[in-house]
Amino acid sequence: MNNLMLPLIAIGSADYIAPEHVLTRIFTDKCDVYSFGMVLIEVVSTTYKHTIFDKIIMLESSSDFSLDPFDLMNPFVDISEMLERFSVDEIIDPILRRKIAPECLAVFIDVTKRCLSREANERPNIGEVEVELELALALQEEADDRNHGGGW
């Protein structure tokens, strides 16, 4: 595993920076996995109007306590834990939800949550992520073949 000491500003969007990098400024392969997990969750959960952070804030505001938007960028906030509190139907873009086979979505969400684990050593390596996403794709293709491209 490569460890590079980089200034925090050299990395992209603050929303995608792994918590351990914010705290230590040490960059590892697992930081990339975390950032990729953020990309994965953004792909399936957002609309042209709302980011995943907007969606979490909306869901939180309808629950028992309110979340400050700036708390989401705090390295001590566990995004994967926050995602556990809501159903997949609440998180996923409703248009995509109808097009993704349930078994594909289950694999996709599982690998995404693992990528977003607060603890770097609990995240899969990027090769494992690739294998899981290939499985999700295969499951989607099988379901599409069975249903002739029908919606879910």
Side-chain angles (χ1 to χ4, degrees):
M1 185 181 316
N2 291 334
N3 292 337
L4 300 173
M5 186 75 156
L6 298 173
L8 188 57
I9 196 128
I11 306 300
S13 172
D15 300 338
Y16 289 66
I17 298 173
E20 68 274 12
H21 180 71
V22 172
L23 296 173
T24 66
R25 296 194 178 192
I26 295 174
F27 185 82
T28 69
D29 295 343
K30 297 292 183 149
C31 293
D32 278 342
V33 170
Y34 181 89
S35 298
F36 189 66
M38 289 301 299
V39 170
L40 294 175
I41 196 66
E42 288 276 358
V43 165
V44 296
S45 66
T46 60
T47 64
Y48 68 96
K49 291 182 180 180
H50 302 292
T51 69
I52 184 62
F53 297 107
D54 296 330
K55 190 167 275 194
I56 289 172
I57 290 167
M58 286 186 284
L59 290 169
E60 288 289 348
S61 66
S62 67
S63 67
D64 292 340
F65 69 97
S66 180
L67 182 68
D68 185 325
F70 292 107
D71 286 345
L72 291 171
M73 291 182 277
N74 180 333
F76 299 105
V77 172
D78 188 342
I79 298 294
S80 63
E81 181 183 301
M82 295 175 84
L83 295 174
E84 289 290 333
R85 291 205 313 254
F86 306 108
S87 73
V88 170
D89 289 332
E90 291 176 298
I91 297 168
I92 301 303
D93 176 3
I95 295 170
L96 285 177
R97 180 69 184 96
R98 292 189 302 265
K99 296 182 178 286
I100 301 174
E103 57 272 21
C104 169
L105 186 59
V107 171
F108 188 92
I109 293 298
D110 177 65
V111 73
T112 300
K113 287 179 179 178
R114 290 186 6 225
C115 287
L116 294 172
S117 176
R118 176 103 173 85
E119 299 298 322
N121 62 348
E122 293 177 10
R123 292 181 208 135
N125 65 45
I126 200 66
E128 293 172 70
V129 174
E130 178 184 9
V131 168
E132 291 292 315
L133 292 177
E134 287 172 349
L135 171 61
L137 177 60
L139 291 169
Q140 182 66 44
E141 289 172 342
E142 288 174 17
D144 287 346
D145 288 345
R146 280 192 314 270
N147 296 308
H148 305 293
W152 300 102

